[in-house]
Amino acid sequence: MVELPALRWNPSAVLKIITTSNDISCAGITLKGLPCGYDLGGEPKLQARHLLNLMSQKSPRDTLDSLPQLARLCLCQKNHQKQAMSVVTKWAALIESHVSNLERDDTRRTDRSVDKPVPNRRDLTIHEIIAELDALSIRQAELTSMLQDANASDTGSRWISPSQNTANLSSQTPPSDSESSKSGQGGRSGSPSRDGWRALLRRGKLPK
């Protein structure tokens, strides 16, 4: 099946060539300023329809060169062929007006899409607000508990209680007096060294 080309616009409607009865009559103007309406005959009308179909597959401004040929087909041979230039001028103005309207509509659609306002947030009812607050409160309690557990775990891995520290110190064997005197060599005779003083302090004894 042959796929027909998509139509870009309807030249017969823009140029007002085809009548309400789906016919094509002479586009000339009589001396009284009225449409001629003379029947063009089968062959000119067939050629005019074919040309209009070709024009519909192009952009409107690209069909301006086809207007002289269309005018000759749409004017009766008897009286109005000499009006071809004036008809072309009128049709060219109609096409330009049509294109301008399309461009203006496109600009408006683009502006509306860019400046489209953000829809307002729906106002919550009192019950919905209370539910939201309850959910936030529960979540806050959960996060607080998680933070406390994390702090306790981190601190427990590094912190030693004072009681544990005292037990560690008590388990250490203080140096003997002979060791203290030896470690104090080079200083005043009979006085404990610095380490000896620390050992005596741990036992709560000071030299007299």
Side-chain angles (χ1 to χ4, degrees), residues 177 180-182 184-193 197 200 207-208:
D177 292 341
S180 298
S181 61
K182 290 180 181 179
Q185 291 179 358
R188 190 175 62 179
S189 176
S191 62
S193 66
W197 280 106
L200 293 173
K208 297 181 179 180

Side-chain angles (χ1 to χ4, degrees), residues 15-26:
L15 304 180
K16 301 179 176 59
I17 293 177
I18 297 181
T19 64
T20 55
S21 58
N22 197 28
D23 194 14
I24 299 177
S25 58
C26 177

Side-chain angles (χ1 to χ4, degrees), residues 146-187:
M146 292 170 61
L147 180 61
Q148 291 174 349
D149 293 342
N151 287 336
S153 175
D154 183 63
T155 304
S157 63
R158 295 179 298 174
W159 181 70
I160 301 176
S161 65
S163 60
Q164 290 174 331
N165 189 35
T166 303
N168 292 335
L169 291 175
S170 300
S171 63
Q172 296 178 359
T173 303
S176 63
D177 292 341
S178 60
E179 291 175 345
S180 298
S181 61
K182 290 180 181 179
S183 62
Q185 291 179 358

Side-chain angles (χ1 to χ4, degrees), residues 1 44 53 65 75 104 140 143-144 149 156 158 161 184 188 196:
M1 181 178 180
N53 183 59
D65 292 340
L75 291 171
R104 184 164 52 251
Q140 182 180 7
L143 293 175
T144 302
D149 293 342
R158 295 179 298 174
S161 65
R188 190 175 62 179

